[in-house]
Amino acid sequence: MGAMDLQFESTAVQHGQAKLNVEEHALVSLLSDENYTAEKIEDVDSDDYERLEKGIMQYGCAHYRRRCRIRAPCCNEIFDCRHCHNEAKNSIEVDAVKRHELPRHEVQQVICSLCGTEQEVREVCINCGVCMGKYFCEVCKLFDDDVKSVAGRISFTAPNVYLFESTNGVSVLPCGHTIHVKCLQEMEEHCQFACPLCSKSVCDMSKAWERLDEELATVSDSCDNKMVHILCNDCGATSEVQFHLIAHKCQKCKSYNTRKI
């Protein structure tokens, strides 16, 4: 291993540590929010955990990694997901009169990908006990094993007009958008702290940004001369800043919730 390889390995370790420290501070900030109530997560033993995790990320389609398929309530056919249904049923090969979209909130039946058991919509298969989606929303009939998705991915949460038809708790974010409390808890569990619709921070991140300032000061970066333009998701300002491998700081509000433009 050469000197350059060692330098990059060291930088990667520093980057990972900085990310963990910022996530820890953001989590404390979210949990201290008086409008947010955390749901206690029950412990499971090793056998249950192994059964729940079986086949994770091995099933699904181009749109989702999940361990179930759905029966479309509109045409009674089975598809990997609603997007697969919509692509098939809106193809130019389908008679225009017969084209249609799947009403996902009306889905009633799912089929376990591991054992093939058809059942009512639920998170854990009634037959083999596998978790059919690490993220599950009963209201939106959404299953997803890919929990590494960024917070801006709308399909990972459930903010929509159907929120107010649900008996599940609803939380209003600082940006004004609404989200299921359970979905917000899922975001917290995976250290995602931005609104899935507008990408604004869902809690006061100032302490996390201060900690990130400290972390970045200790991380070397070999791209001193490269500049990039960024857009701040929190205040909407644009800035030209020095490129960094970890994050870019808004020059107006000092937030690191930014993206390159």
Side-chain angles (χ1 to χ4, degrees), residues 19-82:
K19 181 176 184 292
L20 287 173
N21 288 336
V22 170
E23 288 176 348
E24 177 184 350
H25 277 258
L27 178 57
V28 170
S29 178
L30 180 58
L31 292 178
S32 64
D33 189 331
E34 62 181 6
N35 293 320
Y36 178 80
T37 55
E39 178 182 45
K40 181 179 180 181
I41 300 174
E42 297 181 358
D43 294 330
V44 294
D45 60 36
S46 58
D47 290 338
D48 288 337
Y49 182 79
E50 183 177 350
R51 181 168 57 253
L52 289 168
E53 295 289 293
K54 185 177 181 180
I56 187 171
M57 298 299 288
Q58 296 177 21
Y59 298 87
C61 59
H63 310 102
Y64 298 103
R65 306 311 298 168
R66 64 207 300 184
R67 285 163 283 175
C68 68
R69 305 179 75 195
I70 60 174
R71 182 174 293 281
C74 43
C75 53
N76 203 38
E77 296 181 33
I78 297 174
F79 294 88
D80 285 320
C81 75
R82 66 186 179 93

Side-chain angles (χ1 to χ4, degrees), residues 93-131:
E93 300 176 358
V94 177
D95 189 307
V97 178
K98 297 181 179 180
R99 295 176 191 172
H100 64 280
E101 301 278 312
L102 185 152
R104 72 177 185 184
H105 296 85
E106 297 178 15
V107 171
Q108 299 295 322
Q109 299 291 119
V110 296
I111 299 89
C112 176
S113 298
L114 277 76
C115 70
T117 301
E118 184 165 351
Q119 56 206 281
E120 293 183 354
V121 172
R122 55 188 293 126
E123 185 175 13
V124 177
C125 176
I126 58 174
N127 181 48
C128 67
V130 72
C131 174

Side-chain angles (χ1 to χ4, degrees), residues 218-229:
T218 67
V219 178
S220 60
D221 197 320
S222 59
C223 304
D224 294 338
N225 299 322
K226 183 177 180 180
M227 302 296 289
V228 293
H229 287 88

